[in-house]
Amino acid sequence: MQKERTLVLGSAGQIGTDLVEELRRIYGDSNVIATDIKDQPEAFKAKGPFMMADVTDAATIHKIIQENNVKQVYLLAALLSAVAENKPKAAWKLNMEGLFVMLDYCKENNDVKLYWPSSIAVFGTTTPRHNTPQKTIIEPSTVYGISKLAGERWCEYYHYKHGVDVRSIRYPGLISYKADPGGGTTDYAVNIFHEAILKNTYECFLREDTALPMMYMPDAIRATIELMNAPAEKIKTRNSYNLAGISFTPAILVDEIKKHLPDFTCTYKPDSRQQIADTWPASIDDSVAQKEWGWKHRYELAAMTEDMLIHMKEKYKVTT
Ligand code: AKB
């Protein structure tokens, strides 16, 4: 019998890069198929199966799943908040059509489990800003947020109506060093580390007092895999789970970086991303995820900052 495989759609992005590596560590290189619309370097393709595929191309995606005995799919392809504001129709098409390709497949094949990421972008200015609850007013005002809210409703609908085992997390801003972030509002919290090591200075596109929920990538990857591996009966929330990590402002992050690089400076020049950030929560209440499947984040600001700087120094071969 063919081995059960896992498929990652949109594997070359910020989450996919870390997720594929971790899934391959757990399930074995040959059992995790990575796909992306863009071709990947030969070095990556040598490590495990890779296929070029567009997530909105149902025939191709369904064929890959069937031919490879795929039983878990992580659908990561999406346009993020800042890019989506400039390309609203393209964002809606990619973010929604890709989801339907998979929901419709899983409706006919209930033994295939689906992971689909949502975001804190589902929240809006009418949502309580601090310790935002799991169930609350959800009125997003960005294209990306609207697509994520619609996606959450469809996930829940396909679960209750068609028995689809779909699971989801509302990711906060994700901080990582392996891949660059892909056009979001929280990207400053990654860019700042690159510039801190390369130039010892950074111009931030958000105001210094803009508090946002963030999470270090190792926690986000652990959460994603733990959620997918949790027994189905524990997963009572079928739209998407709130997940809290670290909440901080650019000024707080700068102070933390300065503990390692005392001469580091940051200037502030807010652009259109500030308007998006102003509609999002400052911190998240994830008690439902804690209660239902035992989630607990590990990385706080100090540990995340220290680890990011170590990896940035390695990346840019800085020895001091
Ligand atoms: C973005 O900034 O668009 C993303 C997100 C919070 O979903 N990082």
Side-chain angles (χ1 to χ4, degrees):
M1 233 193 45
Q2 212 188 354
K3 272 197 117 177
E4 291 191 356
R5 295 214 162 75
T6 295
L7 176 64
V8 181
L9 299 168
S11 63
Q14 192 194 8
I15 302 172
T17 301
D18 278 75
L19 185 66
V20 168
E21 207 175 289
E22 183 61 5
L23 289 171
R24 285 185 173 163
R25 194 187 63 75
I26 297 169
Y27 298 114
D29 290 345
S30 60
N31 296 323
V32 179
I33 303 165
T35 75
D36 204 274
I37 197 154
K38 293 185 294 254
D39 201 6
Q40 295 304 301
E42 290 308 319
F44 177 78
K45 292 196 269 191
K47 285 192 202 143
F50 171 78
M51 297 172 198
M52 271 174 74
D54 175 348
V55 293
T56 63
D57 174 358
T60 302
I61 300 296
H62 295 178
K63 191 161 173 269
I64 294 174
I65 297 174
Q66 264 156 0
E67 286 181 353
N68 294 283
N69 197 29
V70 169
K71 295 294 171 204
Q72 282 197 67
V73 178
Y74 293 80
L75 167 54
L76 304 178
L79 288 194
L80 298 187
S81 58
V83 176
E85 286 307 296
N86 296 327
K87 299 180 184 172
K89 294 272 161 54
W92 182 258
K93 182 173 158 56
L94 175 63
N95 296 3
M96 300 311 300
E97 276 184 28
L99 178 58
F100 279 116
V101 164
M102 277 318 305
L103 287 174
D104 284 333
Y105 184 86
C106 295
K107 174 182 159 188
E108 304 303 330
N109 301 272
N110 271 189
D111 61 334
V112 176
K113 214 190 274 184
L114 175 62
Y115 178 81
W116 177 80
S118 185
S119 157
I120 54 157
V122 293
F123 301 117
T125 50
T126 50
T127 303
R129 239 175 79 69
H130 296 278
N131 256 336
T132 301
Q134 175 71 43
K135 279 189 194 295
T136 184
I137 300 166
I138 297 191
E139 296 178 330
S141 53
T142 63
V143 172
Y144 177 61
I146 294 168
S147 75
K148 288 296 176 190
L149 173 56
E152 286 190 6
R153 304 316 309 157
W154 281 114
C155 286
E156 195 183 73
Y157 179 86
Y158 269 71
H159 174 72
Y160 288 112
K161 186 92 178 172
H162 302 300
V164 173
D165 190 354
V166 54
R167 304 171 183 207
S168 176
I169 286 170
R170 290 174 180 151
Y171 287 125
L174 298 178
I175 300 165
S176 67
Y177 55 87
K178 287 183 192 151
D180 292 334
T185 302
T186 58
D187 292 10
Y188 91 84
V190 178
N191 301 343
I192 195 169
F193 285 101
H194 290 265
E195 304 279 297
I197 294 301
L198 288 172
K199 301 182 186 155
N200 215 18
T201 185
Y202 178 63
E203 184 180 270
C204 183
F205 58 74
L206 296 184
R207 261 191 344 259
E208 63 181 325
D209 61 350
T210 311
L212 286 170
M214 301 278 183
M215 179 171 278
Y216 197 30
M217 191 61 93
D219 269 346
I221 297 300
R222 188 169 57 81
T224 306
I225 295 172
E226 279 180 17
L227 174 63
M228 282 297 267
N229 289 341
E233 63 276 11
K234 288 200 171 182
I235 309 304
K236 299 197 166 57
T237 301
R238 290 296 181 160
N239 53 339
S240 191
Y241 282 101
N242 274 13
L243 219 63
I246 326 161
S247 187
F248 56 79
T249 63
I252 292 173
L253 181 56
V254 168
D255 284 348
E256 196 59 41
I257 293 174
K258 272 171 170 285
K259 290 181 188 166
H260 303 266
L261 304 169
D263 298 331
F264 174 63
T265 56
C266 186
T267 55
Y268 298 91
K269 197 173 171 200
D271 65 17
S272 58
R273 288 168 279 192
Q274 183 68 49
Q275 275 105 59
I276 300 175
D278 286 342
T279 72
W280 289 355
S283 60
I284 300 285
D285 171 6
D286 65 2
S287 50
V288 174
Q290 290 184 35
K291 191 164 149 252
E292 291 189 4
W293 47 280
W295 167 247
K296 187 91 196 88
H297 79 273
R298 285 186 191 147
Y299 278 91
E300 300 297 346
L301 180 64
M304 179 277 287
T305 304
E306 192 180 342
D307 204 52
M308 277 297 285
L309 288 171
I310 289 171
H311 285 100
M312 284 295 141
K313 283 184 183 169
E314 267 172 30
K315 183 180 176 85
Y316 295 115
K317 301 188 176 25
V318 172
T319 47
T320 51

Short mmCIF file of all heavy atoms in Angstrom, two decimals, residues 14 79-82 118-121 144 148 171-174 181 183-187 213 276 280, ligand 1:
data_model
loop_
_atom_site.label_atom_id
_atom_site.label_comp_id
_atom_site.label_asym_id
_atom_site.label_seq_id
_atom_site.Cartn_x
_atom_site.Cartn_y
_atom_site.Cartn_z
N GLN A 14 6.58 32.53 3.78
CA GLN A 14 7.20 32.63 5.11
C GLN A 14 6.85 31.44 6.00
O GLN A 14 7.73 30.86 6.64
CB GLN A 14 6.76 33.94 5.78
CG GLN A 14 7.57 34.28 7.02
CD GLN A 14 6.94 35.35 7.89
OE1 GLN A 14 5.80 35.78 7.67
NE2 GLN A 14 7.67 35.80 8.89
N LEU A 79 -2.61 36.11 -0.61
CA LEU A 79 -2.03 37.46 -0.66
C LEU A 79 -2.30 38.10 0.70
O LEU A 79 -3.42 38.08 1.19
CB LEU A 79 -2.66 38.30 -1.76
CG LEU A 79 -2.30 37.96 -3.22
CD1 LEU A 79 -2.74 39.08 -4.16
CD2 LEU A 79 -0.81 37.71 -3.41
N LEU A 80 -1.25 38.68 1.30
CA LEU A 80 -1.38 39.24 2.66
C LEU A 80 -1.91 40.68 2.63
O LEU A 80 -2.13 41.25 1.56
CB LEU A 80 -0.03 39.16 3.37
CG LEU A 80 0.53 37.76 3.59
CD1 LEU A 80 1.77 37.81 4.47
CD2 LEU A 80 -0.49 36.83 4.23
N SER A 81 -2.04 41.25 3.83
CA SER A 81 -2.82 42.50 3.99
C SER A 81 -2.36 43.67 3.11
O SER A 81 -3.20 44.29 2.45
CB SER A 81 -2.80 42.92 5.46
OG SER A 81 -1.48 43.09 5.91
N ALA A 82 -1.07 43.99 3.12
CA ALA A 82 -0.63 45.19 2.40
C ALA A 82 -0.76 45.00 0.90
O ALA A 82 -1.26 45.87 0.17
CB ALA A 82 0.80 45.53 2.79
N SER A 118 -6.08 31.49 9.04
CA SER A 118 -6.73 32.79 9.09
C SER A 118 -5.76 33.75 9.77
O SER A 118 -4.56 33.45 9.86
CB SER A 118 -8.06 32.68 9.84
OG SER A 118 -8.73 33.93 9.78
N SER A 119 -6.25 34.88 10.24
CA SER A 119 -5.34 35.93 10.71
C SER A 119 -6.06 36.86 11.68
O SER A 119 -7.30 36.97 11.65
CB SER A 119 -4.85 36.71 9.48
OG SER A 119 -4.41 38.00 9.83
N ILE A 120 -5.27 37.58 12.47
CA ILE A 120 -5.84 38.64 13.31
C ILE A 120 -6.50 39.72 12.45
O ILE A 120 -7.20 40.58 12.97
CB ILE A 120 -4.77 39.30 14.21
CG1 ILE A 120 -3.59 39.78 13.34
CG2 ILE A 120 -4.32 38.35 15.31
CD1 ILE A 120 -2.77 40.89 13.96
N ALA A 121 -6.25 39.67 11.14
CA ALA A 121 -6.85 40.65 10.21
C ALA A 121 -8.37 40.51 10.12
O ALA A 121 -9.03 41.39 9.56
CB ALA A 121 -6.24 40.49 8.82
N TYR A 144 -7.91 41.78 2.74
CA TYR A 144 -7.36 40.55 3.30
C TYR A 144 -8.24 40.05 4.46
O TYR A 144 -8.60 38.86 4.52
CB TYR A 144 -5.94 40.84 3.79
CG TYR A 144 -5.21 39.73 4.48
CD1 TYR A 144 -4.93 38.53 3.85
CD2 TYR A 144 -4.73 39.92 5.79
CE1 TYR A 144 -4.22 37.54 4.50
CE2 TYR A 144 -4.02 38.94 6.44
CZ TYR A 144 -3.76 37.74 5.80
OH TYR A 144 -3.06 36.77 6.44
N LYS A 148 -10.39 36.59 4.82
CA LYS A 148 -10.15 35.63 5.90
C LYS A 148 -11.45 35.37 6.68
O LYS A 148 -11.72 34.23 7.07
CB LYS A 148 -9.04 36.13 6.84
CG LYS A 148 -7.65 36.06 6.22
CD LYS A 148 -7.25 34.62 5.92
CE LYS A 148 -5.93 34.47 5.22
NZ LYS A 148 -5.67 33.11 4.74
N TYR A 171 -3.48 33.58 12.76
CA TYR A 171 -2.10 33.91 13.10
C TYR A 171 -1.96 35.39 13.44
O TYR A 171 -2.50 36.24 12.75
CB TYR A 171 -1.17 33.64 11.90
CG TYR A 171 -0.91 32.19 11.59
CD1 TYR A 171 -1.17 31.70 10.33
CD2 TYR A 171 -0.35 31.33 12.52
CE1 TYR A 171 -0.91 30.38 10.00
CE2 TYR A 171 -0.08 30.00 12.21
CZ TYR A 171 -0.37 29.54 10.95
OH TYR A 171 -0.10 28.23 10.63
N PRO A 172 -1.15 35.66 14.47
CA PRO A 172 -0.69 37.05 14.67
C PRO A 172 0.43 37.32 13.66
O PRO A 172 0.70 36.48 12.80
CB PRO A 172 -0.15 37.02 16.11
CG PRO A 172 -0.19 35.60 16.58
CD PRO A 172 -0.62 34.72 15.45
N GLY A 173 1.10 38.47 13.73
CA GLY A 173 2.27 38.71 12.89
C GLY A 173 3.33 37.67 13.20
O GLY A 173 3.58 37.40 14.37
N LEU A 174 3.95 37.10 12.16
CA LEU A 174 4.92 36.03 12.40
C LEU A 174 6.34 36.52 12.15
O LEU A 174 6.62 37.14 11.13
CB LEU A 174 4.59 34.82 11.51
CG LEU A 174 3.22 34.19 11.79
CD1 LEU A 174 2.96 33.03 10.84
CD2 LEU A 174 3.09 33.73 13.24
N PRO A 181 9.09 37.75 4.97
CA PRO A 181 7.63 37.85 5.00
C PRO A 181 7.10 38.33 3.65
O PRO A 181 7.84 38.95 2.88
CB PRO A 181 7.36 38.87 6.10
CG PRO A 181 8.61 39.65 6.24
CD PRO A 181 9.74 38.79 5.77
N GLY A 183 4.60 40.57 2.32
CA GLY A 183 3.72 41.69 1.99
C GLY A 183 2.64 41.98 3.00
O GLY A 183 1.53 42.38 2.66
N GLY A 184 2.96 41.78 4.28
CA GLY A 184 1.98 42.05 5.33
C GLY A 184 2.27 43.35 6.07
O GLY A 184 3.27 44.03 5.81
N THR A 185 1.40 43.66 7.02
CA THR A 185 1.51 44.88 7.82
C THR A 185 2.47 44.67 8.99
O THR A 185 3.05 45.62 9.51
CB THR A 185 0.09 45.25 8.33
OG1 THR A 185 -0.73 45.40 7.19
CG2 THR A 185 0.09 46.51 9.15
N THR A 186 2.61 43.42 9.40
CA THR A 186 3.49 43.12 10.53
C THR A 186 4.94 42.85 10.10
O THR A 186 5.79 42.54 10.94
CB THR A 186 2.96 41.89 11.30
OG1 THR A 186 2.87 40.78 10.39
CG2 THR A 186 1.58 42.15 11.90
N ASP A 187 5.22 43.01 8.81
CA ASP A 187 6.56 42.67 8.28
C ASP A 187 7.69 43.48 8.93
O ASP A 187 8.85 43.05 8.92
CB ASP A 187 6.64 42.93 6.76
CG ASP A 187 5.78 41.98 5.96
OD1 ASP A 187 4.97 41.25 6.56
OD2 ASP A 187 5.89 41.98 4.71
N PRO A 213 -0.28 42.04 17.98
CA PRO A 213 0.05 40.69 18.43
C PRO A 213 1.04 40.04 17.46
O PRO A 213 0.85 40.12 16.25
CB PRO A 213 -1.29 39.95 18.37
CG PRO A 213 -2.32 40.95 17.96
CD PRO A 213 -1.62 42.11 17.37
N ILE A 276 -3.88 50.12 8.22
CA ILE A 276 -4.30 48.72 8.42
C ILE A 276 -4.05 48.33 9.88
O ILE A 276 -4.94 47.82 10.56
CB ILE A 276 -3.52 47.77 7.47
CG1 ILE A 276 -3.78 48.15 6.00
CG2 ILE A 276 -3.89 46.32 7.74
CD1 ILE A 276 -2.97 47.34 4.99
N TRP A 280 -6.41 46.73 13.77
CA TRP A 280 -6.17 45.40 14.35
C TRP A 280 -6.00 45.45 15.86
O TRP A 280 -5.65 46.49 16.42
CB TRP A 280 -4.91 44.78 13.72
CG TRP A 280 -5.09 44.37 12.29
CD1 TRP A 280 -6.24 44.40 11.57
CD2 TRP A 280 -4.08 43.87 11.41
NE1 TRP A 280 -6.01 43.96 10.30
CE2 TRP A 280 -4.70 43.63 10.17
CE3 TRP A 280 -2.72 43.61 11.54
CZ2 TRP A 280 -4.00 43.13 9.07
CZ3 TRP A 280 -2.01 43.11 10.45
CH2 TRP A 280 -2.65 42.87 9.23
C1 AKB B 1 -0.14 40.57 7.65
O1 AKB B 1 0.45 41.48 8.25
O2 AKB B 1 -0.87 40.75 6.68
C2 AKB B 1 -0.01 39.16 8.18
C3 AKB B 1 -1.12 38.81 9.10
C4 AKB B 1 -1.20 39.41 10.44
O3 AKB B 1 -1.96 38.01 8.75
N1 AKB B 1 1.25 39.00 8.83
#
